Amino acid sequence: MAEQKKLFLLDAMALIYRAFFALNKNPRINSKGLNTSAVLGFANTLFDVLKNEKPTHIAVCFDSHAPTVRHDDYSEYKANREAMPDDLSAALPYIHELIEAFNIPIFALDGYEADDIIGTLAKKAEQQGFKTYMMTSDKDFGQLVSENIFIYKPGRMGDKAQILGVKEVCDRFGIKRPEQVIDILGLWGDASDNIPGIPGVGEVTARKLLEEFDSVENLIENAHLIKNPKLKDKVIEHAQQALFSKQLATIILDVPVDLVPDQVIMEHPDEKRMQKLFDELEFRNFAKRVFTELSLNPPAKQAESISAQGSQNSGLLFPEEEETPVNKKTIKTVDHNYFSADNKEQRELLISKIVQAGFVCFDTETTGLDTSNNELVAMSFSFKPHEAWFVPVPSNYHEAAMLVAEFRTVFESEKITKIGQNMKFDIAVLKWYDMEVKGKLFDTMIAHYLLQPDMRHGMDLLAETYLNYKPIPIEQIIGVKGKNQLSMNLIPADDIKDYAAEDADITLQLKEIFEPTLDETNTRKLFDEIEMPLVPVLAAIEAEGVKIDTAALKEAASQLQTEIAILTTEIHELAGMEFNIASPKQLGEVLFDKLAISEKAKLTKTKQYSTGEEILIKLISKHPIIQKILDFRSLSKLKSTYVDALPLMVNQRTGRVHTSYNQAVAATGRLSSNNPNLQNIPVRTERGREIRKAFVPRNEKYILLSADYSQIELRIIAELSG
């Protein structure tokens, strides 16, 4: 079989800006004072694509400096964008040189944006049998997606890249066809490009309008049918603005550029030119990575230079001697003083030092991640960078509680600031040992969530990103995840010491970086007045748990099983045969082969019929079996996810269900709930309301807590004792 032609089209400026701001929190500066953050970030993105995706053809598309046709039509187009930072502007010539050294062609044309060039090339490539991947984070490209054209969103901070096809784009915008992206942007506008849209129409309203009217043009033509009077007036008043906004959002597909396959083929890089550039930028580790993993051969002198200089200087990537990411500091390379406090005298000395300091970073080591079931194994404390104390805790609960009580003057002091990473967990653990954590709190996970909501916030990642330090992996202590992984309480205290102490030390160092940044980004008030006071509230709610009526759930399970059995019989009768309704393969064969409900049935990648909910809803009027199947799925999910599962989640110690509320997951600022997820129990259906009735108060009353949480109203209904 002929090799599939695989074309990658890179949206240069979108990727360069992304790289610059991702690394510029901890900028890479070479010995000449050049900020190389943008170059290194873009270089890594490019390298990852070449290594992992192995494109057969590739090109990079730039915006030109000249005004575009959109500026001719609308002078305010992109007028709200800030000027390019000087450091980024200075990096552009090096990025051009990097691309040319890789022998990758560059496209740019006065009067057109990179979007237009990519769109034109992608559509021409589709006609020539290419699979095309538009590498960008720009949502506008969704309008171009087809069966052979995809958006390729590079991964962030260790995450995998995302490939968005027709389904993903439609799901993201809540539309039927990718080309409706321009309609939805025409209605709600695009602040980043200064496209006005219709004032007061947001994403939700735009989606509903398109669901009913399909396009901006049809909406305007039938505006008199809009039921909401105010919305109808807005659409009529701003009809021309909506059409103009749609025009601005439309990617031009007839740019005068040609796609000549031989001109965009992935060539062998110019190794001498590449090495010269890497030397100038001082990308020694990146050079080693490129020449090694792409199986290139650096010139002899440069090869010696790479070998000799390997672990020097900054950068990302890989060192010579270790298997850790390149040039990352570790506990073996950084001077530190970690002490053990394994007797009462040493603990008293530690406590006096903490009281004297007036602040402390602390961490707990436990037998697991379930705060309502695990046991405390050790505590660690730090109040000076590169210095920490390790306190082993006895396995006997009463002895452990007595040891924890020695630290009451620390934990319950209002005068001592407490610092930690995911402090809700540690606070909840200590509650089981009759210890309340009081005083001012500083949680590095929450701080980073406010500073970079779209990133992940785990301590190891933060240490590598902001401190260029790789902590001891947990697998080194308890083994890899699986049946052979050990519990922390089975590990000798001496083997835990450095791991635990390092956690407190690194968290303290992260606090010193994040705290001033909160002030610089005007998020300090939100952090101090909303997020931090919420931490102990959530810890208290989680520890209290929720009581459920297991007898009521058992009865609900019986009723649901009866209804599911009735539906099963009805579905089999309508199908004219018995089959496994829960099997997508069997269901698809029944619907599309036997009953022939649709002549244009969609197939999955495995060549089976697609029977997802969104597919079935569109076919609901085609045959009465469809509604029955949807009802079957709804009841089956309720039964398995909640009615059957919730009683199994009752904690044996408390007789209650203990969920976990996550402050640092949803980028929008809302809380999420997991283990179990109590937020997704249906409220609008009769069955959902029946399940909710199974949650009962201990004291026959509910307390409603409200908080203004990141400008989103947060209501937590929690049952609290007394």
Side-chain angles (χ1 to χ4, degrees), residues 157-178:
M157 306 312 298
D159 291 337
K160 290 184 178 180
Q162 290 180 279
I163 297 177
L164 308 181
V166 172
K167 181 182 183 303
E168 291 78 12
V169 170
C170 290
D171 289 348
R172 158 66 181 87
F173 287 97
I175 54 181
K176 302 171 187 174
R177 307 179 307 279

Side-chain angles (χ1 to χ4, degrees), residues 284 302-312 320:
R284 297 181 179 89
Q302 281 84 356
E304 293 176 10
S305 172
I306 291 173
S307 177
Q309 297 169 345
S311 60
Q312 301 173 16
E320 265 55 32

Side-chain angles (χ1 to χ4, degrees), residues 451-502:
L451 298 172
Q452 295 286 348
D454 291 322
M455 280 180 59
R456 290 180 291 131
H457 314 290
M459 193 205 75
D460 286 3
L461 176 63
L462 298 184
E464 293 190 34
T465 303
Y466 295 95
L467 303 175
N468 195 36
Y469 184 95
K470 183 167 181 65
I472 300 170
I474 183 66
E475 292 80 9
Q476 186 173 314
I477 307 300
I478 61 175
V480 296
K481 193 171 184 179
K483 63 179 182 179
N484 295 323
Q485 189 177 60
L486 299 175
S487 175
M488 188 71 83
N489 61 349
L490 299 177
I491 308 298
D494 287 346
D495 294 344
I496 301 173
K497 173 191 163 188
D498 283 353
Y499 171 82
E502 182 187 63

Side-chain angles (χ1 to χ4, degrees), residues 363-364 376 378-381 389-391 393 403-404 407 411 430:
D363 185 48
T364 60
L376 188 61
M379 299 183 292
S380 54
F381 302 87
W389 294 67
F390 170 72
V391 180
V393 175
L403 185 148
V404 171
F407 288 83
F411 287 124
L430 291 173

